[in-house]
Amino acid sequence: MPLSHKRGWPMRQLIAASSVILLVACAEKPTAADAQPLPVTPAAPAVTASAPNVDVPDIKPAQTFSEWQAGFREQALNAGINPLVFDNAFIGVTPDMGVIKADRSQPEFSRPVWEYLDGALSPLRVRNGQRLLTQNAELLDRIEQRYGVDRQVLVSVWGMESNFGTFQGNKSVIRSLATLAYEGRRPEFAQSQLLAALKIIQEGDIAPGKMLGSWAGAMGQTQFIPTTYETHAVDFDGDGRRDIWNSSADALASTAHYLQSSGWKQGQPWGFEVKLPGDFDYALADGAVRKSVSEWQQLGVTLPAGSTAPAGAEQLTATLLVPAGYRGPAFLVLDNFRAILRYNNSSSYALAVALLSERFNGGGTIVGEWPKDDLPLSRSERVELQTLLSQRNYDAGNADGIIGANTRKAIRSAQQALGWPADGYPNHKLLESLRNR
Ligand code: CA
């Protein structure tokens, strides 16, 4: 879902998060376009269900919910919402404690990227996607012609976001967003989404009672957040309403519209797996480092035995992605990978979408082996790593458990001082080394 923030991740309006490819562990469900720089944790988005929550901030609103609602009503009316629309949408709305709990959850454990991919690329999902590609062939022809976005990636996003429309979330979007605007961690964002949701209702696309979505307000088969819906949802089946909940045509075309706006290049690959030489400078595996494919080749980047580079790839701009550090698989990723990141700024998510789109055609397998003995650090271990790095004069920024650009840079400096490959990947070996120094 294109959300604008994630991390709570919702799909978002993307404000593009920087050019940096983040390895993000999305705690919440990823959705597209999140506007914010996401928190980054080394592995995949998914979170262990049984993980305890830690350090949950206690947010105590200064107002009652009714007081907040009265103040927000005034703002909404000033923004052009009809009072009848507002009052009808808020009938019976109370804060949803499940939303508050989800918003404050900071899971201790993240799933390793290889486990996340195993779930995302299940044989059942691949088969369902293949079936839907066939069933919707004529519709997908028209969407490709209109938006210039390849059908496989559309069906892949559809599968990742809502399991092809079957898991859209069943919470009231108005109630969830009102709860988050009242006492969530990012009230301003929630309020802007709530205002967009009211506009959608006012425009007649959906009734308030049928506007359902995730706890974070991501809606329908595409899991768009309301502001992304406002900018990118389209009525493709021609019934006069943009219905991303019940119309696959509207949902798939809306996804195509979003990816088109995010720079999708029809017919180009998302990227491809590569092999790196033994003495490779892993500091180059950073989303901010962009080179043409031929420049990467001059640095010793090669293809795995038996594979060939996509035709015409030499002059394309690529960044190097090592999702599990230097011991794991490596990929050169191109513009279309960056377009997928606009949907959800998690490199694990984008890799899953990319590989799933290829699996529909029998490809999408990875040759390199994942370092399965190298489990992701837990949240408290990441905080400890950041604290130790800063104590050693490698400035890791706030010790918040989020591996962002500052922390990655600090990790690289520490790795270089140790004479290790500077992949910026936080692991137990580095943590042990810092503890013992
Ligand atoms: Ca429609």
Side-chain angles (χ1 to χ4, degrees), residues 235-239 241-243 247 250:
D235 170 26
F236 200 76
D237 62 12
D239 71 348
R241 297 185 306 124
R242 300 177 292 174
D243 186 356
S247 166
D250 288 5

Side-chain angles (χ1 to χ4, degrees), residues 165-424:
T166 59
F167 291 105
Q168 302 184 24
N170 59 3
K171 283 185 173 293
S172 157
V173 168
I174 295 294
R175 187 187 185 196
S176 295
L177 292 173
T179 301
L180 295 170
Y182 172 58
E183 57 179 324
R185 289 178 296 154
R186 293 183 303 139
E188 298 81 10
F189 174 75
Q191 192 160 302
S192 69
Q193 294 305 321
L194 183 54
L195 201 53
L198 290 167
K199 287 180 181 165
I200 292 164
I201 291 169
Q202 182 158 301
E203 287 156 6
D205 285 321
I206 188 92
K210 293 186 174 175
M211 185 184 243
L212 303 178
S214 74
W215 69 265
M219 314 182 298
Q221 301 188 28
T222 55
Q223 296 286 283
F224 275 14
I225 53 173
T227 50
T228 300
Y229 178 103
E230 280 289 82
T231 52
H232 289 89
V234 296
D235 170 26
F236 200 76
D237 62 12
D239 71 348
R241 297 185 306 124
R242 300 177 292 174
D243 186 356
I244 60 172
W245 296 267
N246 303 298
S247 166
S248 301
D250 288 5
L252 288 164
S254 297
T255 296
H257 186 209
Y258 190 83
L259 287 172
Q260 178 194 45
S261 299
S262 302
W264 187 268
K265 304 228 169 53
Q266 189 169 18
Q268 273 192 14
W270 59 272
F272 49 95
E273 188 178 358
V274 294
K275 281 182 63 180
L276 304 174
D279 59 349
F280 190 77
D281 177 8
Y282 281 88
L284 297 173
D286 182 310
V289 177
R290 297 185 177 203
K291 296 176 184 297
S292 70
V293 170
S294 60
E295 286 173 316
W296 286 112
Q297 289 172 326
Q298 285 160 24
L299 290 167
V301 174
T302 57
L303 293 166
S307 71
T308 52
E314 294 75 13
Q315 298 313 313
L316 299 178
T317 301
T319 53
L320 183 63
L321 176 68
V322 286
Y326 79 98
R327 295 178 58 217
F331 306 89
L332 282 182
V333 299
L334 308 167
D335 285 351
N336 285 347
F337 191 87
R338 288 185 277 276
I340 300 168
L341 285 172
R342 297 285 297 275
Y343 214 91
N344 179 348
N345 194 16
S346 154
S347 59
S348 299
Y349 171 87
L351 191 58
V353 167
L355 294 171
L356 181 59
S357 71
E358 291 185 330
R359 290 219 177 167
F360 296 148
N361 292 341
T365 51
I366 297 174
V367 176
E369 292 196 15
W370 296 105
K372 295 191 176 177
D373 56 337
D374 201 6
L375 293 174
L377 297 183
S378 68
R379 184 174 179 280
S380 37
E381 287 167 338
R382 295 195 300 270
V383 169
E384 183 186 0
L385 178 71
Q386 289 172 317
T387 304
L388 291 171
L389 283 166
S390 293
Q391 285 172 3
R392 304 286 190 273
N393 293 321
Y394 303 117
D395 182 9
N398 289 337
D400 54 8
I402 297 170
I403 308 297
N406 286 335
T407 303
R408 219 164 271 287
K409 192 173 166 199
I411 291 170
R412 287 203 167 96
S413 298
Q415 289 171 326
Q416 281 160 348
L418 289 159
W420 296 356
D423 59 10

